[in-house]
Amino acid sequence: MSADLGSWTPRPSPGLDPLEGDTVRVEPVADERHFEALWESFAQADDGLWRYLGYGPFADRGAFLAMARRVYLGSDIRFHVVVPKASGRAEGVAALMRTDAANGVTEIGHICLGPGLAKSRAATEAFFLLMRRVFGELGYRRYEWKCDSENEPSRRAADRLGFRFEGVFRQHMVVKGRNRDTAWFSIIDTEWPALERAFEAWLAPDNFDAAGRQRRRLAELR
């Protein structure tokens, strides 16, 4: 695919302004103030929460906090905490990483959602808010999602959110002493306007009944 990029300029890097939605707040990590709440949320899950991440599970609070200080406050990745408005406490994280501002490319990764947040309306809105920042606010051209090829929940989530599968990089990484073949997905800027409309329709109050159940699935609206 060719396009005239004669007027292209490097994009800004993701900043520190929080993102506000109807059901969730997504806040870039700048200090340790959410770490205790994250530990309390993650401690409610079983060890499977950490299976496909490069760290965890953790024996205790101290081990988790040591990792959080090292990883979540790293200088080369912009971590975000996900704070559902129903609880007012951080219950998950996601990072914008491998950001290439010159070419307008970034990736969402290190996704870790506590049991109360997983598969929730708030989680979907958090993913939407990050997409809207990447495409609408920062003007990036490409947004990536990568996961272990055996991580079926992550692959299903990528598909549901509108990422397109691009293939598998074989023997891409060694994670926790095992081989990882990596499945690659992406969204590009020309796909974003239609996807944005689908998210807005899915998140609209009238798409949910009194019990909070969706009336139409996101895939239908896409």
Side-chain angles (χ1 to χ4, degrees):
M1 181 186 300
S2 61
D4 181 5
L5 295 175
S7 60
W8 172 260
T9 57
R11 301 291 87 195
S13 296
L16 290 171
D17 293 334
L19 300 165
E20 293 283 352
D22 292 334
T23 65
V24 73
R25 175 183 174 90
V26 179
E27 185 177 326
V29 176
D31 52 45
E32 300 181 18
R33 60 199 168 96
H34 291 292
F35 291 178
E36 292 282 355
L38 287 172
W39 166 247
E40 291 174 8
S41 176
F42 296 157
Q44 297 176 43
D46 61 33
D47 288 352
L49 181 70
W50 308 100
R51 179 177 179 185
Y52 294 107
L53 290 167
Y55 38 79
F58 302 95
D60 54 35
R61 168 182 169 278
F64 170 79
L65 294 176
M67 179 282 297
R69 293 181 187 113
R70 183 181 73 255
V71 176
Y72 296 169
L73 292 172
S75 60
D76 58 339
I77 299 178
R78 176 68 71 206
F79 270 86
H80 298 71
V81 293
V82 181
V83 183
K85 293 191 174 180
S87 70
R89 294 173 60 79
E91 296 185 28
V93 296
L96 295 180
M97 55 189 285
R98 297 192 178 94
T99 298
D100 179 355
N103 291 296
V105 180
T106 193
E107 173 186 345
I108 184 170
H110 288 271
I111 298 166
C112 190
L113 306 180
L117 186 58
K119 298 182 180 180
S120 68
R121 181 180 175 186
T124 297
E125 187 172 27
F127 288 124
F128 167 63
L129 292 173
L130 286 167
M131 284 186 200
R132 191 167 64 183
R133 165 152 290 176
V134 167
F135 289 115
E137 178 185 330
L138 301 177
Y140 276 54
R141 302 177 63 234
R142 175 179 167 88
Y143 191 42
E144 298 176 340
W145 178 299
K146 304 186 185 87
C147 64
D148 191 306
S149 65
E150 296 182 0
N151 188 347
E152 289 298 332
S154 184
R155 295 182 68 145
R156 289 194 298 270
D159 180 71
R160 174 180 176 268
L161 294 169
F163 288 83
R164 295 193 183 185
F165 176 62
E166 295 182 326
V168 173
F169 277 35
R170 298 178 300 164
Q171 296 189 183
H172 181 222
M173 300 173 68
V174 177
V175 179
K176 295 178 177 174
R178 57 180 292 273
N179 173 65
R180 171 175 141 164
D181 296 343
T182 299
W184 287 51
F185 301 79
S186 74
I187 298 169
I188 59 174
D189 54 356
T190 55
E191 297 162 350
W192 170 240
L195 189 55
E196 182 180 29
R197 290 192 294 272
F199 272 104
E200 289 173 341
W202 188 85
L203 290 165
D206 62 7
N207 190 45
F208 296 88
D209 64 20
R213 293 183 295 259
Q214 64 180 353
R215 290 193 166 97
R216 298 187 67 189
R217 296 182 299 113
L218 182 58
E220 295 175 46
L221 295 164
R222 287 197 283 108

